């Protein structure tokens, strides 16, 4: 009990201290910006060092608190270890292999529920894959069209248009994948509940043995993709593509552009210039 209280008090202290320190750094940054125009050297080394010096003392205390927390975890180790959580897919596979034979309206209704859950997950997978594929095609069409990136346009306008045309698809695809993950979890949980009910209601009946037909094409594809030559071929192709794009970037003066932007960021924003 004493160990738990010490851990709770330490966690509260470190959390509050971290938030206060973050607010202090933000206040210092705003104070530096208010000293003058950032384009005229407000983020110079002298000004940044002078403004950050008062915050350096609590920053070192924060580092010491983190080290103290590490020592505390060694001195008061956690005795309770949570058991690893079994995934729903593993439970579903294990229960499906024990599915017994049965009869009656209740058994048929449960089997229909299992079929509906499996089919709904397949439909959701296909819809999500179609949305991601459409988003990838639309994004590639926009990015590969040179007319969308005229030399006369400003970088902010180009980034804003790209964010609208490409970022929207990325957001939709990411949201769809998250939704599919959540739906898959709860669908599997519902199917696990039905499977447990079927197994308990038909205990003692022989288990259904499903003879899975072997698809020669899929078996051949699996054999090819699992080959060591295929794996190294894919790695080699990725390496060749990477080197090709690096060379194209060098001849297109992309390396010089990135280098210049990095210098400007370090000099004007971070204050290392």
């Amino acid at each position: 009990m004493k160990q738990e209280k010490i851990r709770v008090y330490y966690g509260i202290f470190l959390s509050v201290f971290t938030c206060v320190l973050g607010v202090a750094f933000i206040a210092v940054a705003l104070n530096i910006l208010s000293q003058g125009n950032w384009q005229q050297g407000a983020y110079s080394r002298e000004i940044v060092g002078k403004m950050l010096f008062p915050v350096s003392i609590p920053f070192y205390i924060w580092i010491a608190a983190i080290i103290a927390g590490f020592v505390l975890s060694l001195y008061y180790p956690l005795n309770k270890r949570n058991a690893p959580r079994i995934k729903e897919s593993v439970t579903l596979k294990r229960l499906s292999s024990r599915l017994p034979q049965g009869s009656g309206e209740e058994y048929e209704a449960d089997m229909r529920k299992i079929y509906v859950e499996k089919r709904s997950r397949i439909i959701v997978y296909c819809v999500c894959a179609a949305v991601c594929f459409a988003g990838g095609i639309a994004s590639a069409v926009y990015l590969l069209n040179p007319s969308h990136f005229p030399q006369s346009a400003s970088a902010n306008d180009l980034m804003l248009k790209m964010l609208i045309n490409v970022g929207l698809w990325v957001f939709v695809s990411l949201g769809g994948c998250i939704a599919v993950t959540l739906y898959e979890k709860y669908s599997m949980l519902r199917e696990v509940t039905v499977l447990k009910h079927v197994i308990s209601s038909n205990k003692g009946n022989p288990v259904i043995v499903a003879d899975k037909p072997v698809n020669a094409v899929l078996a051949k594809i699996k054999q090819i993709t699992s080959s060591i030559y295929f794996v190294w071929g894919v790695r080699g192709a990725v390496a060749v593509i990477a080197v090709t794009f690096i060379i194209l970037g060098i001849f297109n003066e992309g390396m010089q552009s990135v280098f210049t932007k990095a210098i400007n960021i370090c000099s004007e924003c971070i204050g290392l210039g």
Side-chain angles (χ1 to χ4, degrees):
M1 189 66 181
K2 180 181 177 181
Q3 298 179 6
E4 294 181 358
K5 286 186 177 180
I6 293 176
R7 286 181 173 276
V8 170
Y9 293 151
Y10 169 77
I12 294 174
F13 164 75
L14 186 61
S15 300
V16 174
F17 193 31
T18 303
C19 293
V20 172
L21 188 62
V23 172
F25 272 112
I26 295 175
V28 170
L30 294 177
N31 190 19
I32 294 174
L33 187 62
S34 64
Q35 296 298 318
N37 191 351
W38 63 273
Q39 293 180 349
Q40 297 179 1
Y43 280 107
S44 62
R45 182 182 303 175
E46 293 77 12
I47 295 177
V48 172
K50 180 180 178 181
M51 292 294 182
L52 286 180
F53 179 75
V55 190
S56 62
I57 298 175
F59 176 75
Y60 292 137
I61 297 176
W62 180 72
I63 295 295
I66 294 178
I67 298 174
F70 175 73
V71 176
L72 184 67
S73 64
L74 298 178
Y75 189 72
Y76 292 117
L78 287 176
N79 296 325
K80 296 181 180 179
R81 297 293 181 183
N82 296 327
R85 182 178 177 84
I86 301 177
K87 293 183 178 181
E88 293 79 10
S89 58
V90 177
T91 304
L92 185 62
K93 185 177 180 180
R94 178 174 56 85
L95 293 177
S96 299
S97 62
R98 298 167 48 194
L99 185 63
Q101 298 178 0
S103 60
E105 294 182 358
E106 183 179 2
Y107 180 83
E108 296 294 335
D110 289 337
M111 295 302 292
R112 281 195 298 269
K113 291 179 182 178
I114 294 174
Y115 172 76
V116 168
E117 292 296 339
K118 292 181 180 295
R119 185 182 62 179
S120 63
R121 289 200 298 271
I122 294 175
I123 294 174
V124 169
Y125 296 153
C126 294
V127 172
C128 182
V131 171
C132 294
F133 181 76
I137 295 297
S139 301
V141 169
Y142 179 83
L143 294 174
L144 296 177
N145 191 348
S147 63
H148 294 152
F149 302 95
Q151 297 292 334
S152 58
S154 63
N156 292 334
D157 293 338
L158 294 177
M159 293 298 297
L160 182 61
K161 291 181 180 179
M162 186 171 63
L163 180 64
I164 295 174
N165 291 275
V166 178
L168 180 62
W169 281 108
V170 174
F171 178 78
V172 171
S173 300
L174 180 61
C177 292
I178 295 174
V180 168
T181 303
L182 296 175
Y183 180 81
E184 179 188 41
K185 177 180 179 180
Y186 291 109
S187 176
M188 286 184 175
L189 289 176
R190 289 194 297 266
E191 186 175 349
V192 165
T193 303
V194 177
L195 283 172
K196 289 181 178 180
H197 178 263
V198 173
I199 293 173
S200 62
S201 301
N202 300 273
K203 187 178 297 184
N205 293 349
V207 178
I208 298 176
V209 179
D211 296 331
K212 296 182 178 180
V214 178
N215 192 318
V217 177
L218 295 179
K220 188 65 175 178
I221 293 175
K222 184 177 181 180
Q223 180 183 2
I224 294 174
T225 54
S226 60
S227 174
I228 187 65
Y229 300 105
F230 178 82
V231 174
W232 280 104
V234 172
R235 293 176 179 176
V238 172
V240 170
I241 294 173
V243 172
T244 302
F245 277 107
I246 291 173
I247 294 174
L248 290 176
I250 293 174
F251 283 103
N252 197 29
E253 297 182 356
M255 183 178 65
Q256 182 66 28
S257 177
V258 173
F259 184 66
T260 303
K261 292 178 181 178
I263 293 175
N264 294 334
I265 291 175
C266 292
S267 300
E268 300 173 358
C269 181
I270 303 177
L272 300 179

